[in-house]
Amino acid sequence: MSQAKITKQVNVDKADIGFVIGHKGKTIHLIMNRTGAYVNLRKFTHPSTGTEYSYFHIDGTPQQVEAAENWVSTIIQENYDRRTNPSHVAPERGTV
């Protein structure tokens, strides 16, 4: 008997989208291949405010979704840490 499929959403800032997708989709495809979950980027525009939100939509078995969700969340957190921690910022040209 096959396991029931579930769906989860992981909200993402615009600054993090490219890191999760990767160059030519390499990272997102790796996540899908390794976890077995289906992951795609979706956008939603709030009807009354016009504000656009982005999220990763993840489908699969509970174990697949959990693994993919953890991977996506880790990438987002690591990218956030890089952006907010000055020690991760590359020096400006000519200063080294």
Side-chain angles (χ1 to χ4, degrees):
M1 183 166 70
S2 67
Q3 213 173 9
K5 302 282 183 176
I6 66 168
T7 299
K8 283 214 174 171
Q9 296 179 1
V10 177
N11 294 330
V12 61
D13 289 334
K14 288 181 182 182
D16 299 319
I17 293 171
F19 287 90
V20 176
I21 293 174
H23 182 67
K24 296 186 179 182
K26 184 177 180 180
T27 304
I28 199 79
H29 284 101
L30 181 63
I31 293 169
M32 289 191 289
N33 289 334
R34 295 270 176 93
T35 65
Y38 178 73
V39 183
N40 71 334
L41 178 67
R42 295 192 177 175
K43 295 182 180 182
F44 169 77
T45 303
H46 193 279
S48 58
T49 64
T51 304
E52 186 177 274
Y53 300 94
S54 299
Y55 61 92
F56 284 99
H57 183 89
I58 306 172
D59 290 320
T61 66
Q63 292 82 7
Q64 292 170 333
V65 170
E66 181 181 5
E69 180 183 25
N70 288 340
W71 201 335
V72 168
S73 296
T74 297
I75 293 170
I76 291 169
Q77 184 62 50
E78 287 174 353
N79 189 49
Y80 174 80
D81 292 345
R82 271 192 225 90
R83 286 194 327 265
T84 59
N85 184 346
S87 67
H88 290 295
V89 177
E92 291 184 40
R93 288 183 160 185
T95 61
V96 177

